[in-house]
Amino acid sequence: MPRTHIGNHWSFMLTGRIAVLAVFFCICVESGLAQAPTPFVFTGWNYNTRQAASALNALQDTWGETNPATFTSLAANSRLSVDRMRGPELVADSLSMALWRPWDITHQRVRTIREERGWHTWSEGYVRLGHVGADKRTGAMRYDTSRYGYMFGADYGDSRYWQFGGVFGHGLPCIDNDLGRIHGDDFTVGLYSKYNFFDQGAISTFLGYGYQHCKMRRNGFSGALHYGSFSGDAGYASIEYTHIIPLADLGALMPLIAVDYQTAWTKRFSETPHSNQWSQSVSGSNMGRTMLRFGIDSKWDALLFGDFDLASRVQGAFLLEGDRRASVTSTTPMTDTAMNLRSADLGWFEFNTGLTASGIYGERYNWFIDFDVFTTGCIVALQGQFGLSTRW
């Protein structure tokens, strides 16, 4: 065969092979056999958001190919999408609603310098407003907290030394931020006592139980709302020793030391609607704290102000044992990937300062007004209460 024919033959063969490869490549692209575009990778900027970003990436791997438009819209505002995913962080924060130190109220009612024979009854309403700052370590989002409630108590002193009583209370706690809102009913029952040491000091105790039923509304993607309800329990115990230092006829200084314990736990629940692929199942959680508390109270009796008395308190407490944060595990129906989400920091040190004014109302009643400031960890709270008491 002539050399020119051989060259033409190889040219035709090479051109044909390139054409066949081009056709095959086009067929592969149309059939999806070519490499798909790289999916968007969600990223977090702290512990909780990294957990949420990882869950979003797992969901995208599971059903992103059949729902590409969904994840394209989420990627358009990835930071907001990650925040919406970590909404059940609120459930971890909700444990702080149960850890509200109910013994503060009973200790104040029995922290007196007079004899306690006979029946003593009292009732009060209170409001507590607080702000919890963002946790720099875990990234738990800041939130506002409130608690409105009332308490009733009655005690009997069978001598100048012993005093025994019981208390019942109902509160309406709430936490609220950009992730959603949790509000609940909190019922507290307890027993308290006091024993006087020959007018030199006193030991007071509190033992209580709380039951909470909470409802959550969580903000989801594209304006969707998710709802859930869960219940919880709490236990409280406190023992306080107060030493009395009389100040002539003006009143007394009362240095004190105490050990306080409280624990709370919540039960597992699933959000509704269950058919929504973004609804989550949230595990139960628990948290416990034992604090060593110390401080000094002052009492200024009626001889100085007539029928008007004043009392003040300054107290601090160190965490002896227990948790600074709560955590929950949350999963979505579409994947087994779980998020471990942590609450804001309750801190290792608590500080409380307060003022009480009291006076006579009618012939048989005394009124009292308490105002307190609390701070611990990321939390700053104000509490005010007003009530009446009487002796029979």
Side-chain angles (χ1 to χ4, degrees):
M1 180 181 295
R3 186 178 298 274
T4 57
H5 288 177
I6 294 175
N8 291 337
H9 175 73
W10 283 107
S11 297
F12 284 128
M13 289 181 64
L14 180 60
T15 302
R17 290 176 179 177
I18 292 174
V20 170
L21 288 174
V23 172
F24 179 75
F25 178 77
C26 291
I27 293 174
C28 287
V29 169
E30 291 183 3
S31 63
L33 295 179
Q35 184 177 1
T38 303
F40 181 83
V41 178
F42 294 92
T43 58
W45 51 97
N46 50 51
Y47 179 85
N48 280 0
T49 55
R50 285 193 291 270
Q51 291 283 308
S54 177
L56 277 174
N57 290 327
L59 282 169
Q60 184 174 212
D61 292 341
T62 301
W63 56 286
E65 290 186 7
T66 57
N67 296 271
T70 298
F71 287 92
T72 299
S73 64
L74 296 183
N77 194 342
S78 62
R79 190 179 184 94
L80 178 62
S81 299
V82 170
D83 275 341
R84 290 289 180 261
M85 191 67 184
R86 65 162 170 161
E89 170 188 307
L90 277 172
V91 181
D93 288 324
S94 71
L95 281 173
S96 65
M97 299 192 309
L99 304 182
W100 67 287
R101 299 166 42 142
W103 57 78
D104 283 335
I105 295 176
T106 60
H107 285 334
Q108 286 185 34
R109 299 287 71 85
V110 302
R111 201 180 291 138
T112 62
I113 54 176
R114 60 178 181 266
E115 292 187 10
E116 308 295 346
R117 290 192 179 116
W119 281 101
H120 171 219
T121 58
W122 54 271
S123 64
E124 69 171 50
Y126 65 86
V127 57
R128 182 177 182 130
L129 304 175
H131 176 78
V132 180
D135 190 326
K136 295 180 180 179
R137 178 172 243 179
T138 66
M141 187 177 290
R142 63 178 181 83
Y143 61 87
D144 296 317
T145 178
S146 64
R147 184 183 184 94
Y148 301 86
Y150 59 86
M151 293 194 80
F152 299 101
D155 52 75
Y156 178 74
D158 65 348
S159 70
R160 64 179 302 182
Y161 301 112
W162 279 107
Q163 184 180 354
F164 302 94
V167 64
F168 170 81
H170 176 220
L172 299 171
C174 176
I175 61 175
D176 191 354
N177 65 6
D178 291 339
L179 300 178
R181 184 173 187 266
I182 293 180
H183 67 278
D185 286 283
D186 188 350
F187 298 92
T188 304
V189 293
L191 299 173
Y192 62 95
S193 68
K194 176 183 176 181
Y195 180 74
N196 286 312
F197 281 100
F198 307 105
D199 299 325
Q200 297 178 1
I203 290 180
S204 57
T205 64
F206 178 85
L207 184 65
Y209 165 78
Y211 171 78
Q212 301 83 39
H213 181 73
C214 300
K215 294 183 179 180
M216 180 176 72
R217 183 196 69 219
R218 180 174 68 85
N219 299 320
F221 300 112
S222 303
L225 295 176
H226 302 274
Y227 298 90
S229 62
F230 58 95
S231 60
D233 303 274
Y236 312 101
S238 175
I239 181 168
E240 174 184 288
Y241 172 72
T242 304
H243 183 68
I244 299 174
I245 305 175
L247 298 176
D249 293 328
L250 300 179
L253 294 179
M254 306 173 68
L256 61 90
I257 187 168
V259 177
D260 306 321
Y261 171 76
Q262 54 187 340
T263 183
W265 55 98
T266 62
K267 297 178 175 61
R268 179 182 178 87
F269 72 98
S270 295
E271 294 178 328
T272 58
H274 302 296
S275 58
N276 190 305
Q277 65 267 28
W278 299 109
S279 294
Q280 300 188 27
S281 296
V282 185
S283 70
S285 185
N286 62 83
M287 188 176 189
R289 290 166 66 84
T290 302
M291 308 291 293
L292 175 65
R293 178 166 50 90
F294 58 91
I296 186 167
D297 280 25
S298 68
K299 299 285 185 181
W300 308 102
D301 67 16
L303 292 178
L304 187 64
F305 301 102
D307 293 335
F308 182 68
D309 300 344
L310 283 177
S312 66
R313 52 199 161 273
V314 177
Q315 300 179 18
F318 289 95
L319 181 67
L320 290 179
E321 190 275 332
D323 306 308
R324 292 180 56 167
R325 299 173 180 85
S327 65
V328 296
T329 301
S330 182
T331 58
T332 61
M334 300 299 297
T335 177
D336 291 333
T337 300
M339 294 182 290
N340 178 260
L341 302 170
R342 298 178 182 176
S343 72
D345 182 16
L346 296 188
W348 61 270
F349 180 76
E350 297 177 352
F351 177 77
N352 163 228
T353 182
L355 185 67
T356 295
S358 61
I360 297 174
Y361 176 73
E363 296 182 358
R364 296 177 51 189
Y365 296 95
N366 290 82
W367 58 266
F368 57 87
I369 298 175
D370 299 329
F371 180 76
D372 287 88
V373 178
F374 300 90
T375 179
T376 174
C378 301
I379 301 173
V380 176
L382 305 176
Q383 179 170 296
Q385 50 205 45
F386 171 81
L388 293 172
S389 65
T390 186
R391 291 209 162 269
W392 301 87

